[in-house]
Amino acid sequence: MKTGETSSECPIGVFDSGYGGLSVLREIQRLLPQYDYLYLGDNARAPYGTRSFDIVYKFTLEAVKYMFDKGCRLVILACNTASAKALRSIQQNDLPRIDPTRRVLGVIRPTVEKVGEITRTGHVGLVGTPGTVKSRSYDMEIEKLYPDLHLYSQACPMWVPLVEYKEFDSPGADYFVKQELDRLMGRRSDIDTLILGCTHYPLLYDKIVKYVPEGVSVVSQGRITAESLADYLRRHPEIESRCSKGGHTTYMTTESPEQFADLASVFLSREIEAEHADITSRPTC
Ligand code: DGL
């Protein structure tokens, strides 16, 4: 797949506050290499995880509108915080007004669907940003889909900065990962499934696996989201037929493109080029 291309006609949009969504994009590209993609990281305003509901909604809506202007007819919020705090309002209030034929999807529902198939004890752990945990979005999805499951949530405010500052391999990362997982497992010892409810966390995967008890399934969202997107495109030919298929990906960031490309290559395990996105100075839809 070529990278750093100029924007394609109708790419599938993948959005995150920063780098985390790249862990989802990577799996989507693997499973569905034929489509064009536009990745947008709002690095200039990340992290979102500690921001208020209204601000996350405002930033996410700006990003979605920007991606629509770039030709996306379908945008995946590859960010739990944005999915938790902005997705429903955008779907219910903004899309009908902006363009009812376009779609915005999130990562929480497909993750919960999968987790219900994995757990045997019925006790599921969630690690996420303070914003995701406080929103109770996972609790609400679980109550809807699997009312018999019990969810234990742990906010991990230090984990995203550890990734954003490339400290995910450091002894400091060991300290903070162990601390939060001990807190979580201390509340219920038969948790058998752990949701990585933040798209940054796959970079901490090795440390997370090291500190959870043996036998706990650690669920990251890349593959799950990719499979869910493939299924969605199969069920919605009216959307699928409008997605351009050139196998190109454009990477955009609201911060410095050079800085973005540097850490993005760690997430993607290959070099990329990025462009700057000025998402706040666009005409409003
Ligand atoms: N990657 C985002 C998520 O999945 C969180 C990063 C942030 O706090 O901005 O929630």
Side-chain angles (χ1 to χ4, degrees), residues 257-271:
E258 292 74 27
Q259 199 176 305
F260 179 84
D262 188 36
L263 189 52
S265 62
V266 178
F267 272 89
L268 296 166
S269 312
R270 65 192 153 82
E271 299 295 315

Side-chain angles (χ1 to χ4, degrees), residues 127-128 156-164 173 176-178 180-181 194 196 200-201 204 208:
V127 281
C156 307
M158 292 303 292
W159 290 15
V160 167
L162 284 169
V163 172
E164 293 275 326
F176 286 111
V177 168
K178 181 174 183 321
E180 303 297 9
L181 291 176
L194 177 68
L196 303 190
H200 279 65
Y201 296 174
L204 292 163
I208 293 166

Side-chain angles (χ1 to χ4, degrees), residues 164-224:
E164 293 275 326
Y165 290 101
K166 278 196 186 177
E167 291 289 334
F168 48 86
D169 257 342
S170 69
D174 279 278
Y175 175 83
F176 286 111
V177 168
K178 181 174 183 321
Q179 182 185 57
E180 303 297 9
L181 291 176
D182 284 351
R183 283 178 183 156
L184 177 66
M185 297 308 300
R187 285 161 57 201
R188 184 84 201 188
S189 59
D190 62 348
I191 290 173
D192 70 347
T193 307
L194 177 68
I195 303 170
L196 303 190
C198 172
T199 53
H200 279 65
Y201 296 174
L203 256 76
L204 292 163
Y205 187 85
D206 291 347
K207 302 229 182 277
I208 293 166
V209 168
K210 185 167 151 193
Y211 294 114
V212 287
E214 234 183 281
V216 172
S217 306
V218 178
V219 178
S220 46
Q221 299 174 303
R223 183 77 194 178
I224 292 171

